[in-house]
Amino acid sequence: MSHLTKTQAQARADQVRAFRAEQSLLSAQGLLRLPEEDAVHIQRYHDNLLHELQQAQDVDLSDGARHLSLGMQIVSFLGAAALAASLFFLFYQYWGYFATTTQVVILIAAPLLSLAGAYWVRQFDASGYYAKLAGLVSFASWVLNIVMLGSIFNVTPSPNAFAVFALYGFLLAYLLQVRLLLAAAMICSFIFIGAKFGTWMGSYWIYVGENPEHFFLPALFFFALPQWINQTRYHGFAAIYQLLSVVVFFIALLILANWAGSSYLPWSPNVIEGCYQIVGFVASALLVLYGLRTGAANLMLAGNVFFALFLYTKFFDWWWDWLPKYLFFLVIGLTAILALMVFNRLRKLQQQTVAQQTIPTTGGQS
C-alpha cells in the first residue's frame, strides 16, 4: 500500500468502513445472507487491508481518530510556532555575547541542522506530525538566518529575500510533505512577485499591497500548476495551490472592484470598478462551475462565497443610502432564497445525471 497517497489510503479505509456498515444493516434487515466461509474471508481481507493502510499511511480508522488527528494538526502547528518563537527570542537574548564570526557560523548551521533533523524525523514518523513541527522550525530558522545576516552585514532590505524564503519553503514542503510549508512558500512567492512588479512600475517594494493587479498573474500560474505538474504523490498539495490562489485572486479583484485608485488602468474610477465587478461575477460563477465539474467542493464553496461578496457589495453601493434598512435586508434575504433555488436546481440536475449513468449498469446486471 506504499504506492497510495495518504488521501487515497484514507479514502480506501473509509470505503471499507462504509461497506461494513452497509453490510451490517442489510444483514440485520434480512436482505443479505453471505455464507459463513465467505463472510470470514471478507472480514479477514478487510482487517489485513486496514492494518496495512494504518501502518503505511497512518490513516484514521474511526471518527474519533479523525477528530484526534485534527487536534494533533492544530497542536503541531501551535508547537512549531512556539518553538520558532523560542528560537527567535533565544537568539536575541544572547546574540550580543557572540563575535561576528560565531554569529555567522550559528546562523548558517541552524537551518542546516534543523533541515537534517526534520528529514531524519520524517523517516521514522509515519503520521507526519513531528516532521511538520521540525519542518516549520527549520523554515523559521532559515528566515531568521537571512534576516540576521542582513542585519550583521548591513544589507539593504530587498524583496529578493522572499524569493529565498519561498525556495526553501518549497524544498521543505516537498521533502517533508507538509501543506502548511507549501502555503508559506506560496505567500512568500506572492510577496516577491508583487514587490518585483511594483519596483518595475516605479514604486518602493515595501508597498507591495497597494497594487492588487500585481497578484493576478502569479495567482493564475499557481492555480494552473497542478494541471501541468501532477501532485497526486503529495497529500493535499493540489488543493492548497488552487484554493490559496483563488483567495489571493478574488481578494485582489474585490479590492479593485471597490477602490479603483489602486489600478493602473487609465480609465475613470467608475469604469474601472464596473469592469472589475463584472470580472468578479463572471470569474466566481466560472469557479463554481469548474468546482462542480471537477468535484472540488472547496473551490465550489470559494466561488459561492466570493460571488455573494461581490453581489452584496453591489447591493450596498446601490441601495444602502436610500432604501429603508428593513427593505435592504429583505432584498438580501430574498436574494439568498433565489440563490438556494438555483443551487438546488443544479444539485438535482447533477443527481439526475448520476442516476442516468448508474441505471443502465444496474439493468444490465439484472
Side-chain angles (χ1 to χ4, degrees):
M1 294 299 167
S2 59
H3 63 282
L4 296 179
T5 65
K6 187 167 184 177
T7 303
Q8 294 169 336
Q10 186 64 60
R12 187 76 176 95
D14 293 340
Q15 191 177 35
V16 171
R17 292 177 56 212
F19 172 83
R20 286 182 165 181
E22 184 66 16
Q23 181 185 13
S24 176
L25 180 62
L26 292 176
S27 298
Q29 294 178 353
L31 300 176
L32 180 64
R33 288 289 184 268
L34 289 177
E36 183 176 353
E37 184 179 355
D38 292 343
V40 170
H41 283 314
I42 293 174
Q43 176 79 15
R44 187 176 300 133
Y45 167 75
H46 281 159
D47 288 340
N48 293 333
L49 175 63
L50 292 176
H51 178 74
E52 291 178 10
L53 292 174
Q54 208 278 331
Q55 292 296 318
Q57 295 290 350
D58 193 40
V59 298
D60 298 320
L61 302 181
S62 66
D63 292 334
R66 179 168 295 181
H67 296 155
L68 287 174
S69 294
L70 178 60
M72 291 173 67
Q73 292 177 16
I74 297 173
V75 170
S76 65
F77 170 74
L78 294 177
L83 289 176
S86 174
L87 182 65
F88 175 82
F89 287 111
L90 177 65
F91 272 48
Y92 269 92
Q93 180 74 23
Y94 300 102
W95 202 240
Y97 296 104
F98 301 124
T100 302
T101 304
T102 306
Q103 291 177 347
V104 172
V105 171
I106 292 174
L107 289 173
I108 294 174
L112 295 177
L113 292 175
S114 59
L115 174 61
Y119 184 74
W120 179 78
V121 170
R122 186 70 180 91
Q123 306 307 308
F124 303 98
D125 178 26
S127 67
Y129 298 118
Y130 298 102
K132 177 192 296 185
L133 193 151
L136 289 171
V137 172
S138 180
F139 182 74
S141 300
W142 180 256
V143 173
L144 187 61
N145 174 26
I146 301 300
V147 172
M148 295 298 293
L149 284 175
S151 176
I152 290 173
F153 296 105
N154 199 24
V155 178
T156 303
S158 166
N160 297 332
F162 287 96
V164 180
F165 300 158
L167 288 174
Y168 193 69
F170 281 121
L171 171 66
L172 284 174
Y174 280 94
L175 184 65
L176 305 175
Q177 298 193 25
V178 179
R179 289 169 291 175
L180 189 59
L181 286 171
L182 177 65
M186 288 181 63
I187 292 172
C188 291
S189 300
F190 281 122
I191 295 174
F192 168 70
I193 297 172
K196 277 298 184 181
F197 276 130
T199 55
W200 293 337
M201 299 302 294
S203 64
Y204 189 44
W205 72 269
I206 201 171
Y207 301 113
V208 58
E210 292 190 354
N211 298 105
E213 288 165 332
H214 297 161
F215 300 106
F216 287 149
L217 286 179
L220 292 174
F221 170 78
F222 281 125
F223 184 85
L225 187 63
Q227 309 299 325
W228 302 332
I229 303 176
N230 194 345
Q231 303 290 321
T232 53
R233 291 178 52 202
Y234 304 98
H235 171 53
F237 275 31
I240 293 294
Y241 273 119
Q242 292 190 325
L243 189 57
L244 188 55
S245 300
V246 162
V247 170
V248 172
F249 181 84
F250 279 100
I251 288 178
L253 267 183
L254 195 61
I255 293 172
L256 291 164
N258 292 278
W259 294 281
S262 56
S263 174
Y264 288 114
L265 295 177
W267 305 330
S268 66
N270 290 334
V271 173
I272 294 173
E273 291 178 2
C275 289
Y276 277 117
Q277 287 162 6
I278 294 173
V279 172
F281 282 120
V282 173
S284 55
L286 290 176
L287 183 63
V288 172
L289 294 177
Y290 176 80
L292 189 63
R293 182 177 180 180
T294 58
N298 52 358
L299 296 182
M300 283 190 290
L301 178 60
N304 289 330
V305 168
F306 282 106
F307 187 89
L309 286 175
F310 279 102
L311 185 63
Y312 291 155
T313 52
K314 285 309 299 175
F315 284 172
F316 186 86
D317 291 339
W318 289 337
W319 299 321
W320 180 259
D321 290 331
W322 63 275
L323 272 184
K325 299 304 177 281
Y326 72 90
L327 193 56
F328 175 81
F329 288 108
L330 177 62
V331 171
I332 297 293
L334 293 176
T335 305
I337 294 174
L338 177 61
L340 285 175
M341 294 172 63
V342 172
F343 290 140
N344 189 43
R345 179 60 180 168
L346 290 174
R347 176 173 171 269
K348 288 182 177 179
L349 288 175
Q350 189 181 37
Q351 290 175 336
Q352 290 174 1
T353 302
V354 173
Q356 291 172 358
Q357 292 174 348
T358 56
I359 288 175
T361 304
T362 306
Q365 292 177 346
S366 60

